[in-house]
């Protein structure tokens, strides 16, 4: 295995280089085939099924524990864009899909960004360390990452800066120089770093980041929390949409929805009263009375449904779409 790690600040060109190596710049034609129903299918993709290889990559990416906690294991539906999964789980599933392929060249872009320190350490050890998965396959790996804690374990390090290669070579050669790797302050540190040592490394990295890069890194740090809120439902999303369609219109929609629910469910209760009266020895009312009231309930359901649907489909969708688009445009500008 020939392992090469490519590092550099945010915006230095790592992702662009990754796409260029893959032949994705420029992109003129082609097709995309998606199979994103269950976790198992996400990992296998369009490749042939090999259960031993599948078990190997699941173990290497520490997904076995996650599968045990999910309701249907690796047959769990991932939802639209993996909405039912956390950011770290989506990241590891993507890595497992790449590892499942029997490829001689793997290009991995920041595969540790959504992982906690312990999971990152475990994945790196099982996938990239000597005598582990990729070493046994004798595959060449280009690993693009912001994480610098594993630099010493790589065969070759390439540093990007301002869209070009600023330095390259073995870790020992670069740490002895005066470039980016040397300024990280990694000399003498091993992979089994304490929390305080990792914090020192992070501070050294932050020192050379621009304000915009620091903001981007902060957004990446809170991404798992955003994923969690999306899974359980974020109330601010509904509040923002109701605000965009107008509070009066939103309030009326809620009222008519409640009114429809009342007519719909109370009609079943009315049927229960009707049956009890009809089965009694001395009915209090004629069947026409019960049937007439029941029909009024059904008419109420139809009217309230119309009053609920008409404002939403005719007015609110158009108004909310325009207001949300304007908010996005103002934010962008």
């Amino acid at each position: 295995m020939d392992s090469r790690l490519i590092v550099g600040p945010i915006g230095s060109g790592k992702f662009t280089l990754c796409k260029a190596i893959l032949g994705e710049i420029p992109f003129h034609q082609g097709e995309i085939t998606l199979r994103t129903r269950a976790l198992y299918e996400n990992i296998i993709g369009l490749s042939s099924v090999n259960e031993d290889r599948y078990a190997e990559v699941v173990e290497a990416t520490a997904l076995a524990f996650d599968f045990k906690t999910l309701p249907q294991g690796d047959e769990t539906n991932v939802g639209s864009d993996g909405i039912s999964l956390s950011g770290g789980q989506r990241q590891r599933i993507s890595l497992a899909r790449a590892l499942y392929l029997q490829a001689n060249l793997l290009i991995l872009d920041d595969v540790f960004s959504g992982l906690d320190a312990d999971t990152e350490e475990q994945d790196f050890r099982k996938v990239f360390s000597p005598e582990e998965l990729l070493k046994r396959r004798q595959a060449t790996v280009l690993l693009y990452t912001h994480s610098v804690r594993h630099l010493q374990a790589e065969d070759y390090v390439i540093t990007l800066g301002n869209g070009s290669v600023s330095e390259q070579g073995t870790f020992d050669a670069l740490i002895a120089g005066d470039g980016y790797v040397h300024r990280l302050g990694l000399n003498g540190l091993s992979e089994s770093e304490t929390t305080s040592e990792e914090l020192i490394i992070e501070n050294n990295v932050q020192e050379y980041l621009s304000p915009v890069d620091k903001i981007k890194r902060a957004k990446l740090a809170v991404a798992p929390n955003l994923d969690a809120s999306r899974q359980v439902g974020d109330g601010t999303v509904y509040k923002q949409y109701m605000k965009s369609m107008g509070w009066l219109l939103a309030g009326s929609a809620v009222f008519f929805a409640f009114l429809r629910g009342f007519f719909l469910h109370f009609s079943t209760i009315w049927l229960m009263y009707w049956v009890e009266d009809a089965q009694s020895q001395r009915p209090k009312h004629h069947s026409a009375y019960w049937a007439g009231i029941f029909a009024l309930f059904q008419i109420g359901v139809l009217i309230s449904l119309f009053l609920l649907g008409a404002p939403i489909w005719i007015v609110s969708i158009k108004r909310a779409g325009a207001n949300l688009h304007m908010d996005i445009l103002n934010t962008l500008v």
Side-chain angles (χ1 to χ4, degrees):
M1 170 183 169
D2 180 17
S3 179
R4 303 192 174 210
L5 188 143
I6 300 173
V7 297
I10 296 176
S12 60
K14 296 188 299 298
F15 182 61
T16 302
L17 177 59
C18 177
K19 290 170 57 176
I21 295 176
L22 291 172
E24 296 184 359
I25 296 179
F27 184 80
H28 296 291
Q29 60 183 0
E31 61 182 17
I32 299 175
T33 303
L34 299 176
R35 294 179 64 189
T36 56
R37 293 187 292 274
L39 295 173
Y40 182 87
E41 294 176 337
N42 268 262
I43 296 175
I44 299 297
L46 300 177
S47 303
S48 58
V49 176
N50 186 316
E51 295 298 338
D52 292 336
R53 195 193 323 163
Y54 174 77
E56 182 182 45
V57 300
V58 167
E59 176 64 24
T61 52
L63 284 170
F65 174 79
D66 297 88
F67 290 167
K68 292 179 181 178
T69 61
L70 293 173
Q72 295 178 305
D74 60 359
E75 293 297 330
T76 300
N77 195 317
V78 299
S80 177
D81 198 25
I83 189 64
S84 63
L85 305 174
S86 68
Q89 288 173 330
R90 291 201 299 267
Q91 193 84 327
R92 285 181 287 140
I93 289 171
S94 298
L95 176 60
R97 181 167 58 247
L99 296 175
Y100 185 83
L101 297 172
Q102 290 290 75
N104 296 324
L105 172 64
L106 287 175
I107 300 177
L108 306 176
D109 182 28
D110 214 8
V111 293
F112 302 126
S113 62
L115 307 182
D116 59 79
D118 292 337
T119 306
E120 176 185 339
E121 182 68 29
Q122 182 178 355
D123 282 9
F124 186 88
R125 177 172 52 82
K126 290 186 176 182
V127 176
F128 301 99
S129 295
E131 307 304 327
E132 292 299 340
L133 182 61
L134 292 179
K135 292 285 186 179
R136 296 196 302 268
R137 291 186 185 178
Q138 296 296 310
T140 298
V141 180
L142 290 178
L143 176 61
Y144 298 74
T145 181
H146 298 293
S147 177
V148 296
R149 56 188 300 194
H150 305 296
L151 281 177
Q152 301 172 72
E154 298 301 322
D155 303 316
Y156 201 82
V157 178
I158 301 172
T159 302
L160 301 181
N162 298 321
S164 61
V165 176
S166 59
E167 57 180 345
Q168 57 181 312
T170 63
F171 174 78
D172 292 336
L174 296 183
I175 202 66
D178 59 354
Y180 176 80
V181 175
H182 174 78
R183 295 195 299 269
L184 293 176
L186 296 171
N187 193 18
L189 300 179
S190 64
E191 287 190 32
S192 57
E193 297 300 332
T194 63
T195 304
S196 59
E197 289 171 333
E198 292 177 356
L199 181 59
I200 293 173
I201 294 172
E202 179 64 19
N203 289 336
N204 288 333
V205 174
Q206 291 281 358
E207 181 180 352
Y208 297 98
L209 293 178
S210 67
V212 174
D213 291 339
K214 292 179 180 179
I215 294 175
K216 291 180 179 179
R217 288 173 70 89
K219 290 180 178 179
L220 290 175
V222 300
N225 294 331
L226 293 177
D227 291 331
S229 66
R230 289 175 62 196
Q231 294 180 40
V232 300
D234 191 348
T236 58
V237 175
Y238 301 102
K239 180 180 178 181
Q240 180 65 28
Y241 191 85
M242 293 176 71
K243 180 181 177 181
S244 300
M245 63 187 290
W247 290 113
L248 180 60
L249 189 61
S252 63
V254 172
F255 172 76
F256 289 125
F258 175 80
L259 195 63
R260 175 182 176 273
F262 170 78
F263 285 131
L264 184 63
H265 293 287
F266 195 78
S267 61
T268 60
I269 299 176
W270 187 259
L271 281 176
M272 182 180 65
Y273 293 154
W274 185 359
V275 171
E276 291 178 354
D277 185 70
Q279 292 178 348
S280 64
Q281 295 181 350
R282 295 181 178 181
K284 296 180 180 179
H285 301 285
H286 193 270
S287 297
Y289 167 82
W290 296 104
I293 300 297
F294 181 80
L296 290 177
F297 282 134
Q298 299 306 309
I299 294 174
V301 171
L302 295 176
I303 294 176
S304 57
L305 179 61
F306 174 78
L307 295 177
L308 171 63
I312 290 179
W313 288 101
I314 299 175
V315 181
S316 64
I317 290 180
K318 181 179 180 180
R319 181 186 298 177
N323 291 335
L324 289 172
H325 179 78
M326 186 58 64
D327 290 342
I328 295 173
L329 183 61
N330 290 333
T331 303
L332 177 63
V333 173

